Amino acid sequence: MILIISQNNEITTTEVIKELIAMGKKFHRVHEDEVFEIKVQQKRIVLQSARSIFFLDEITSVWYRRGGLVFKRLKYNHTAINLNMNETQHWLEDYVRKTLESRKHINKESNAHINKLLVLDKAKELGFDVPDYYLAENTRDVEIGNTVIKTINGNVMLEEIRKNKGGFMYTSVVDEHEEGDFFITFFQEKIEKDFEIRTFYLNGQCWSMAIFSQNDEQTKVDFRKYNKTRPNRNVPYILPPHIEAKIQQLMNCFDLNCGSLDFIKKGDQYYFLEINPIGQFLGMSHTCNYSLEQKIAEYL
């Protein structure tokens, strides 16, 4: 039995489920708005919500996509009893999560978000070319026009701007000095690229796509500012073996067996930018005919 932890309307999850159904594999899909109770039947732990129920020991593999397991906690009027029972429930929840993560898996809830600064430091240590980066509280020493600004916490989704709507925080070029200081911000050298590369990694294998975004002003700095009128040209790409070997080393350092990685190609150099453990891959899969959703279903 496969456990899929995702969000209600996550399209990638649905596409993988179509493959699972075609393969005749059994699965449970957990949504982010489900609240589970931990129960016991015949000495076996059962997880039960309003829409699903399953035994913990029947789960053989887990795909963590998005969201997370949410548990209902009992509350007690007596302060001392409530504190004790809250701790007891915490350890039960911890046992369930760690047991699931010990099974065959693709991604984990516990490391779905990784520290971008640590990733960049480790990438440099492993020998990747990485554009120079630093933190600053002002723009006094920033080289205007040759520096980009990014979020410290990766590809942020601003989900509360408008009900049922999301938004991105895009990479931008610093084109003027700001007066005064501000909160610590991530600055990075701007690389004049030949093209960008998006790589999907799964259990030691890499699938890559070249994205020719540099000729369009809208997508030149951040290809996620998609030009739907005149889309970027995207083609399958094969990274050199030594780069793929370093990718595996980097992913192993952070206990990741799946994710999307971004690179910039300039001349003979491949500049590493970041890892997104829960990255999108359907577009690449369809454009390059990689059938990545099928490969995920096969692994599970």
Side-chain angles (χ1 to χ4, degrees):
M1 182 68 71
I2 300 164
L3 181 66
I4 300 171
I5 303 171
S6 188
Q7 293 174 319
N8 295 13
N9 300 310
E10 215 278 321
I11 297 172
T12 303
T13 305
T14 303
E15 292 303 308
V16 172
I17 284 176
K18 290 177 183 178
E19 298 293 336
L20 292 174
I21 293 171
M23 296 174 190
K25 292 188 175 184
K26 296 181 179 180
F27 63 90
H28 286 291
R29 178 176 181 169
V30 171
H31 294 170
E32 83 271 17
D33 56 0
E34 284 188 73
V35 179
F36 283 90
E37 292 184 73
I38 301 174
K39 295 178 174 291
V40 175
Q41 291 182 18
Q42 300 174 343
K43 300 181 180 179
R44 299 169 67 194
I45 291 179
V46 177
L47 300 185
Q48 182 174 356
S49 72
R51 66 177 292 273
S52 57
I53 180 170
F54 56 90
F55 287 101
L56 181 62
D57 59 15
E58 74 177 344
I59 301 300
T60 55
S61 59
V62 181
W63 180 31
Y64 174 80
R65 179 59 187 166
R66 296 187 188 277
L69 287 176
V70 178
F71 295 101
K72 177 182 178 181
R73 285 197 181 181
L74 299 175
K75 295 183 179 180
Y76 299 82
N77 293 327
H78 193 284
T79 303
I81 293 174
N82 193 58
L83 285 171
N84 180 69
M85 292 306 297
N86 198 50
E87 183 176 358
T88 299
Q89 292 174 96
H90 163 76
W91 289 119
L92 278 172
E93 294 164 11
D94 184 67
Y95 175 75
V96 168
R97 286 194 173 97
K98 285 187 168 59
T99 297
L100 290 172
E101 291 192 353
S102 71
R103 304 282 158 79
K104 184 179 183 180
H105 65 272
I106 295 177
N107 294 122
K108 300 177 181 179
E109 184 178 350
S110 61
N111 64 358
H113 302 284
I114 53 176
N115 190 311
K116 181 175 185 173
L117 299 174
L118 292 176
V119 170
L120 290 173
D121 287 350
K122 179 58 68 173
K124 289 178 65 176
E125 182 183 315
L126 292 174
F128 278 105
D129 288 320
V130 179
D132 291 337
Y133 58 93
Y134 56 92
L135 301 176
E137 295 177 319
N138 54 63
T139 59
R140 284 193 289 272
D141 298 320
V142 173
E143 189 175 349
I144 300 302
N146 292 316
T147 305
V148 296
I149 185 172
K150 298 182 179 181
T151 62
I152 293 176
N153 44 330
N155 294 329
V156 179
M157 281 294 292
L158 302 178
E159 297 178 348
E160 300 301 329
I161 294 177
R162 192 182 304 166
K163 187 176 181 180
N164 297 323
K165 297 289 184 180
F168 276 111
M169 295 183 71
Y170 294 107
T171 300
S172 301
V173 178
V174 181
D175 55 11
E176 62 180 1
H177 289 290
E178 297 280 344
E179 292 186 8
D181 292 346
F182 39 73
F183 190 79
I184 296 172
T185 300
F186 180 87
F187 294 92
Q188 190 166 40
E189 174 191 5
K190 178 188 174 186
I191 303 295
E192 295 295 342
K193 60 183 180 289
D194 296 333
F195 52 87
E196 298 179 55
I197 300 168
R198 165 62 60 90
T199 297
F200 180 73
Y201 175 91
L202 177 63
N203 295 304
Q205 287 188 272
C206 294
W207 295 265
S208 297
M209 179 176 74
I211 305 166
F212 293 88
S213 57
Q214 74 281 2
N215 296 324
D216 188 329
E217 287 301 319
Q218 182 172 321
T219 61
K220 190 172 185 178
V221 177
D222 192 328
F223 78 87
R224 295 172 302 159
K225 293 183 177 180
Y226 305 113
N227 187 335
K228 295 181 180 179
T229 304
R230 191 166 66 94
N232 293 150
R233 177 170 170 253
N234 301 323
V235 298
Y237 192 83
I238 299 176
L239 287 169
H242 73 279
I243 297 293
E244 291 195 352
K246 286 179 183 178
I247 288 174
Q248 183 163 1
Q249 284 182 281
L250 183 61
M251 297 297 277
N252 288 343
C253 286
F254 293 94
D255 191 26
L256 297 171
N257 69 344
C258 184
S260 295
L261 301 92
D262 289 332
F263 294 87
I264 283 176
K265 178 74 160 54
K266 181 180 181 182
D268 295 329
Q269 289 182 284
Y270 293 86
Y271 289 93
F272 170 80
L273 298 180
E274 63 184 2
I275 298 172
N276 183 358
I278 315 295
Q280 294 291 353
F281 57 84
L282 277 186
M284 178 198 301
S285 180
H286 295 159
T287 299
C288 301
N289 198 29
Y290 285 151
S291 301
L292 298 176
E293 55 272 36
Q294 182 180 352
K295 289 176 172 60
I296 285 179
E298 287 172 347
Y299 179 80
L300 292 172

